[in-house]
């Protein structure tokens, strides 16, 4: 591989179009075309919400649409107002108060009633109620029957619970359009893992068998960031042990090194289990936290695989129920099929049980005894025949 495949790096180039992510992206695009003043996108930590925000920012830039992206709660409400002024090319000074900035912004929209600004607020659950209510009142501003400032809220499911508090009820009532992201199912997790491997330049190794992927889905609940974490640790362990096929025992070790719990984790509602693998294959019934060993794998480099020489375009393990195609990606199964399953079959031959070897040796010994016994009988008969003739 030419680079590490499972870095937790938020970049639109690594956007994986699973069914749930494609749905979220369609929701954001439709919200841009709508005049709904407030929309909400939620998902667990690590599902890819910030990646979608960055992808949305790229689209806004291409459309030359004024926007302000608040990526962290460390940015104050006043800084957000200054960002709005900058995006709208409104002259403001550092001495301007919040009220002064409000007046400047309102005056701009009075002069330009057809203009719109997108206020994108990431990690909404981290902002305090006072700041959220200030944003709500800003979005409430109306010019000629329309809201020129539109709010895109992005947060975790905890934010939905916060909205039920009395002080945020006015904001909650204004959110009519909502989209909730879930984790990847078995098929999507398999596609995601090979998508990241191919992006890193892998061409047949390392290999994740289906039972291993099922275990990863169960442990991570299909959350992409957690999938990245466990797969990255699996590759570190595989590098240290010279392993090409990532089996269940490697996943067990990875879970231990990460300090994760091995108790059963429910799959997402849209999960599809592998028919040949029972749920929770490698999971234990213990609910206690597994302690991280003092001596983790020494090597942090992943197996070095030569880059692919031919990356054919086509579908990426696309099941019938999916209508999407990952552009500029080769068919991952075809790419890996060349040497992958041969390596697996060879490894299975090496892993024959002891009783099979003993049986084969025993049969070989019996065959040799029978051959020698038959030869001995034939020689005695020949000698007796010669004596009788004399």
């Amino acid at each position: 591989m030419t680079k590490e495949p499972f870095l937790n790096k938020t970049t639109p180039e690594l956007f994986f179009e699973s069914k749930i992510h494609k749905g979220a992206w369609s929701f954001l695009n439709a919200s841009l075309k709508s005049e709904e003043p407030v929309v909400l996108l939620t998902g667990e930590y690590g599902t890819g919400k910030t990646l979608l925000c960055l992808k949305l920012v790229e689209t806004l830039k291409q459309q030359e649409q004024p926007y302000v992206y608040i990526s962290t709660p460390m940015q104050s409400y006043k800084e957000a107002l200054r960002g709005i002024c900058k995006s709208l090319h409104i002259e403001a000074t550092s001495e301007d108060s919040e009220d002064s900035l409000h007046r400047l912004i309102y005056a701009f929209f009075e002069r330009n009633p057809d203009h719109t600004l997108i206020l994108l607020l990431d990690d909404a659950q981290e902002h305090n109620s006072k700041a959220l209510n200030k944003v709500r009142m800003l979005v409430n501003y109306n010019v000629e029957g329309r809201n020129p400032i539109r709010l895109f809220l992005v947060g975790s499911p905890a934010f939905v619970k916060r909205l039920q508090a009395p002080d945020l009820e006015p904001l909650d009532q204004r959110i009519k359009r909502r989209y909730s992201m879930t984790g990847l199912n078995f098929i999507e997790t398999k596609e995601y893992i090979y998508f990241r491997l191919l992006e890193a330049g892998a061409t047949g190794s390392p290999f994740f068998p289906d039972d291993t992927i099922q275990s990863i889905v169960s442990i991570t609940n299909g959350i992409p960031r957690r999938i990245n974490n466990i797969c990255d640790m699996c590759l570190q362990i595989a590098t240290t042990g010279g392993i090409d096929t990532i089996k269940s025992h490697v996943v067990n070790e990875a879970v231990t090194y990460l300090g994760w719990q091995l108790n059963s984790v429910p799959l997402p509602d849209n999960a599809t289990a592998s028919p040949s693998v029972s749920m929770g294959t490698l999971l234990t019934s213990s609910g206690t936290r597994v302690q991280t060993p003092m001596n983790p794998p020494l090597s942090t480099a992943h197996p070095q695989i030569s880059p692919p020489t031919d990356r054919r375009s086509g579908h990426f393990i696309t099941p019938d129920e999916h209508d999407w195609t990952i552009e500029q990606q080769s068919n991952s199964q075809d790419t890996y099929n060349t040497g992958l399953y041969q390596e697996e079959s060879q490894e299975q031959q090496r892993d024959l049980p002891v009783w099979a070897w003993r049986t084969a040796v025993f049969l070989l010994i019996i065959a040799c005894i029978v051959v020698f016994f038959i030869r001995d009988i034939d020689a005695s008969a020949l000698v007796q025949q010669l004596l009788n003739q004399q």
Side-chain angles (χ1 to χ4, degrees):
M1 287 179 283
T2 58
K3 55 186 176 181
E4 295 183 65
F6 297 107
L7 287 175
N8 283 322
K9 184 179 180 181
T10 307
T11 171
E13 288 76 19
L14 290 177
F15 180 72
F16 174 68
E17 291 189 349
S18 72
K19 189 175 182 179
I20 195 69
H21 287 85
K22 187 178 179 181
W25 180 239
S26 297
F27 167 78
L28 292 175
N29 272 309
S31 299
L32 283 179
K33 300 173 183 177
S34 168
E35 292 190 357
E36 194 67 32
V38 186
V39 297
L40 172 62
L41 173 68
T42 59
E44 295 288 354
Y45 290 103
T47 50
K49 301 184 300 296
T50 298
L51 186 59
L52 283 163
C53 286
L54 295 179
K55 192 172 174 62
L56 181 62
V57 166
E58 281 191 346
T59 299
L60 294 173
K61 287 180 179 179
Q62 292 172 2
Q63 297 177 354
E64 297 183 351
Q65 167 66 54
Y67 73 93
V68 173
Y69 175 37
I70 303 175
S71 60
T72 170
M74 299 302 294
Q75 295 175 259
S76 66
Y77 176 71
K78 188 174 183 179
E79 288 175 325
L81 293 177
R82 289 176 182 168
I84 292 174
C85 290
K86 182 179 179 181
S87 181
L88 297 174
H89 305 290
I90 299 173
E91 292 186 6
T93 65
S94 57
E95 288 81 20
D96 287 330
S97 64
E98 288 184 7
D99 289 338
S100 298
L101 294 172
H102 281 149
R103 286 193 292 270
L104 290 172
I105 293 169
Y106 296 157
F108 172 86
F109 286 117
E110 291 288 344
R111 297 190 304 270
N112 305 276
D114 295 333
H115 281 55
T116 302
L117 179 131
I118 303 298
L119 183 58
L120 180 57
L121 184 65
D122 198 0
D123 282 333
Q125 74 280 354
E126 303 295 340
H127 293 265
N128 60 56
S129 298
K130 183 179 179 180
L132 290 171
N133 276 310
K134 284 184 176 182
V135 171
R136 171 184 59 82
M137 289 186 286
L138 177 66
V139 175
N140 283 349
Y141 174 68
N142 187 292
V143 179
E144 298 182 2
R146 61 184 296 271
N147 299 90
I149 301 176
R150 297 172 54 208
L151 178 61
F152 282 57
L153 291 168
V154 180
S156 70
F159 181 65
V160 178
K161 295 181 180 179
R162 278 193 60 197
L163 287 172
Q164 298 172 6
D167 58 342
L168 290 179
E169 183 180 357
L171 176 59
D172 186 37
Q173 290 182 1
R174 284 166 172 76
I175 307 173
K176 183 174 70 175
R177 297 193 176 182
R178 309 182 183 209
Y179 188 94
S180 178
M181 300 176 64
T182 59
L184 307 179
N185 60 27
F186 170 79
I187 294 175
E188 291 171 333
T189 300
K190 183 175 183 178
E191 293 171 348
Y192 176 75
I193 289 173
Y194 285 113
F195 165 77
R196 296 296 293 251
L197 287 170
L198 286 172
E199 281 292 317
T203 58
S205 178
F207 171 52
F208 288 77
D210 282 357
D211 59 339
T212 299
I213 294 175
Q214 184 63 71
S215 297
I216 291 173
V217 174
S218 300
I219 293 168
T220 64
N221 215 14
I223 304 300
R225 186 184 298 160
R226 291 175 65 85
I227 294 172
N228 288 345
N229 292 343
I230 196 167
C231 286
D232 183 81
M233 183 58 70
C234 283
L235 294 191
Q236 292 188 41
I237 295 170
T239 301
T240 304
I243 301 170
D244 290 328
T245 300
I246 310 299
K247 293 189 175 181
S248 295
H249 70 88
V250 178
V251 177
N252 273 323
E253 290 184 49
V255 170
T256 303
Y257 286 132
L258 290 169
W260 291 357
Q261 294 182 358
L262 278 174
N263 55 301
S264 297
V265 180
L267 285 174
D269 293 337
N270 63 339
T272 303
S274 172
S276 60
V277 182
S278 60
M279 297 303 298
T281 301
L282 80 98
L283 305 183
T284 69
S285 59
S286 171
T288 58
R289 185 175 180 81
V290 179
Q291 298 297 322
T292 306
M294 296 299 293
N295 298 315
L298 298 177
S299 174
T300 58
H302 297 320
Q304 297 300 310
I305 308 298
S306 58
T309 56
D310 178 24
R311 301 187 66 180
R312 296 167 291 173
S313 60
H315 294 284
F316 186 85
I317 328 176
T318 308
D320 293 336
E321 65 268 24
H322 290 180
D323 59 353
W324 46 272
T325 302
I326 297 178
E327 296 179 357
Q328 298 179 348
Q329 295 301 320
S330 63
N331 186 313
S332 64
Q333 289 300 93
D334 286 347
T335 303
Y336 273 71
N337 273 347
T338 303
L340 202 71
Y341 294 106
Q342 294 178 0
E343 293 175 4
E344 187 181 36
S345 62
Q346 291 174 0
E347 187 163 340
Q348 290 173 350
Q349 291 176 6
R350 291 195 300 267
D351 293 342
L352 283 175
V354 176
W355 65 265
W357 289 108
R358 290 177 176 174
T359 302
V361 173
F362 176 76
L363 293 175
L364 180 61
I365 294 173
I366 293 298
C368 291
I369 293 174
V370 170
V371 169
F372 283 112
F373 180 73
I374 292 175
R375 286 182 178 178
D376 186 54
I377 292 176
D378 291 343
S380 300
L382 180 60
V383 170
Q384 186 63 39
Q385 184 178 0
L386 291 175
L387 291 174
N388 290 337
Q389 290 177 355
Q390 293 177 356

